[in-house]
Amino acid sequence: PVFIEVAKTEGFPRLLRIKAIQSLANFNDVTVLDNLIPILENSYNHEYYYELINLANDLNANNTYKQKIKEASFKAMQNNK
């Protein structure tokens, strides 16, 4: 969906990206997380961490997805050293 592209594209305003992430819950498709989790590997995208956690919760994602979210954020921290 277009929402995934908006959420992933750094050129869009922050609030628009957040709205796109939130809207993905309506599709009830946990696999959208596979497309979004990699954005957290960039430390500048850490501000979307809680949005992705909330999306995972809204989609009833299993702990594997939540662990991937944490690992991507950790990777961003490691790359920032």
Side-chain angles (χ1 to χ4, degrees), residues 39-79:
I39 70 170
L40 293 177
E41 292 177 3
N42 180 336
S43 62
Y44 295 111
N45 289 327
H46 180 72
E47 60 192 342
Y48 304 108
Y49 174 83
Y50 291 106
E51 295 305 324
L52 290 182
I53 288 290
N54 289 336
L55 178 61
N57 288 333
D58 291 345
L59 295 173
N60 295 315
N62 61 32
N63 285 333
T64 303
Y65 279 106
K66 294 174 187 175
Q67 185 62 35
K68 286 181 181 179
I69 292 170
K70 292 175 187 175
E71 288 171 3
S73 291
F74 181 72
K75 188 173 185 179
M77 287 184 351
Q78 295 293 13
N79 291 337

Side-chain angles (χ1 to χ4, degrees), residues 5-24:
E5 289 306 313
V6 171
K8 289 172 50 177
T9 304
E10 293 187 22
F12 286 109
R14 179 181 166 274
L15 291 178
L16 182 61
R17 291 177 74 187
I18 288 173
K19 288 286 186 188
I21 292 168
Q22 292 170 343
S23 295
L24 286 166

